[in-house]
Amino acid sequence: MITETESRPRIGIDVLQVTKQHVEVSLHVVENTVDFDALETEWDLLFEESGVSVFQSFEWQRSWWKYYRERHPRAHLYIIVIRGKRRLLAIAPFFTETVRTLGLFNLCKLSFLGREDSDYLDVLMVKGYESLCTNLIASHLAEHRSMFDVLYFEDIPERSRTHALLYEALAKVGFCGERFINEYCPRTHLLDSWEATVASFSGTHRRHLNQRRRQVSENFVVEFEMTTRQEEVRGNMADFIALHQQRWNKMGYKGAFSDQRVVAFHHEVAQRCFQRGWLYLA
């Protein structure tokens, strides 16, 4: 059995050709938290350049793994890291997990870190190196396919620069599967003002929205507050979590925060995101 502190041999890839230039690259796999933590500075730089979501930030991914590993001890890190001669080119933040299927046999899945608790999942890559890196990742996974039974890459956003390339690269090396829409994400196009935005809605939508606003104003004292200080984060997050649980419990569901480790994860990641200036809690 492989524990979190153990690691498999690192995989080296020497010289590959990209367009008309030779680029020296290496690929290795991070399988323990010490090496995971050592990536933080380079991860931050790649995150800023790659244009992925906050769910691929080091803050979110590292906090998620800390608490997910407590809930699922049979999960193991498998972060693929690709380096060029002078810089980091890509991070594919994966992990493996053995699950019981149909109550009969074990199945080992390779998935993205952040699974279940993130809106978007993706690979981080330097722009211009997507084709090279997706092919390297696919080739590596093909060479080590005996380590897992299935690849399960969910919640990759529609705007991702890599999802089609990764799918095609995996197909070229012998993987078979399908791409499908996992979930539709509702969105609203915001105009220059709130009044203009509301006016752009359908008549039914606009009436329902105005009715709800009137009901709130008539029955409650309404105040708007922003979380602007570090010491406010924990209390305001606790209020948010309590409101969420109250709503879903009332409808007969357990809610997203029924597990205290999930609560602890969101408290920690909120603090870390506040420190980076990313938290909008109102």
Side-chain angles (χ1 to χ4, degrees):
M1 179 176 178
I2 298 174
T3 65
E4 187 178 326
T5 56
E6 295 174 334
S7 62
R8 302 181 182 92
R10 298 183 177 225
I11 310 301
I13 300 175
D14 295 321
V15 179
L16 296 177
Q17 188 170 359
V18 189
T19 61
K20 295 182 179 180
Q21 297 179 338
H22 287 283
V23 179
E24 185 176 332
V25 297
S26 63
L27 183 154
H28 72 273
V29 178
V30 168
E31 298 183 88
N32 61 75
T33 55
V34 174
D35 289 342
F36 193 175
D37 290 336
L39 283 173
E40 181 172 3
T41 300
E42 291 180 297
W43 191 306
D44 284 345
L45 292 173
L46 182 59
F47 169 76
E48 294 294 340
E49 182 175 344
S50 58
V52 289
S53 74
V54 70
F55 303 106
Q56 281 72 64
S57 67
F58 183 86
E59 285 79 4
W60 185 275
Q61 298 264 296
R62 183 63 181 89
S63 299
W64 182 89
W65 177 250
K66 174 181 175 180
Y67 292 100
Y68 189 86
R69 188 65 161 76
E70 289 182 2
R71 290 182 282 155
H72 302 272
R74 301 178 74 180
H76 302 281
L77 284 174
Y78 201 83
I79 303 173
I80 297 177
V81 178
I82 300 175
R83 295 184 181 278
K85 191 172 183 179
R86 295 181 178 86
R87 61 169 305 172
L88 195 65
L89 298 179
I91 297 175
F94 300 143
F95 75 105
T96 61
E97 181 179 18
T98 302
V99 297
R100 194 73 172 169
T101 303
L102 301 176
L104 299 174
F105 57 92
N106 291 330
L107 185 74
C108 184
K109 297 166 56 177
L110 182 80
S111 307
F112 279 111
L113 291 175
R115 183 174 66 82
E116 297 178 351
D117 296 306
S118 308
D119 285 344
Y120 299 119
L121 303 171
D122 209 348
V123 178
L124 299 85
M125 293 186 185
V126 173
K127 294 178 181 178
Y129 289 85
E130 294 90 349
S131 182
L132 167 68
C133 292
T134 51
N135 281 311
L136 283 175
I137 292 168
S139 296
H140 171 82
L141 293 176
E143 292 170 8
H144 297 82
R145 66 179 68 203
S146 61
M147 296 177 56
F148 49 85
D149 302 302
V150 63
L151 304 175
Y152 193 68
F153 298 157
E154 59 184 333
D155 294 330
I156 301 176
E158 181 183 25
R159 65 177 179 270
S160 170
R161 295 180 291 108
T162 61
H163 77 284
L165 289 172
L166 183 58
Y167 181 83
E168 292 165 3
L170 290 167
K172 288 178 184 176
V173 294
F175 288 98
C176 59
E178 61 177 321
R179 295 166 59 197
F180 56 91
I181 297 174
N182 185 47
E183 184 178 1
Y184 286 95
C185 181
R187 63 191 72 180
T188 294
H189 182 62
L190 299 178
L191 303 180
D192 293 337
S193 69
W194 174 244
E195 291 74 18
T197 300
V198 173
S200 70
F201 297 160
S202 68
T204 301
H205 187 182
R206 190 165 58 249
R207 284 193 300 273
H208 286 169
L209 179 60
N210 290 331
Q211 182 183 17
R212 295 294 178 85
R213 293 181 67 188
R214 284 196 303 271
Q215 289 173 345
V216 169
S217 299
E218 291 169 359
N219 294 291
F220 301 95
V221 175
V222 181
E223 298 177 344
F224 180 82
E225 297 179 0
M226 285 284 298
T227 303
T228 57
R229 296 181 300 172
Q230 183 89 44
E231 58 268 26
E232 297 174 340
V233 174
R234 183 164 190 85
N236 290 348
M237 279 296 296
D239 289 341
F240 163 71
I241 290 169
L243 284 170
H244 172 94
Q245 288 301 109
Q246 182 182 30
R247 171 177 171 79
W248 289 101
N249 292 166
K250 187 176 180 179
M251 295 190 295
Y253 298 100
K254 65 179 182 179
F257 299 103
S258 58
D259 188 322
Q260 286 304 305
R261 287 168 293 196
V262 176
V263 173
F265 158 62
H266 280 85
H267 274 298
E268 178 171 316
V269 80
Q271 294 283 354
R272 298 184 72 163
C273 287
F274 182 89
Q275 292 167 1
R276 292 293 299 269
W278 297 338
L279 184 68
Y280 185 89
L281 185 58

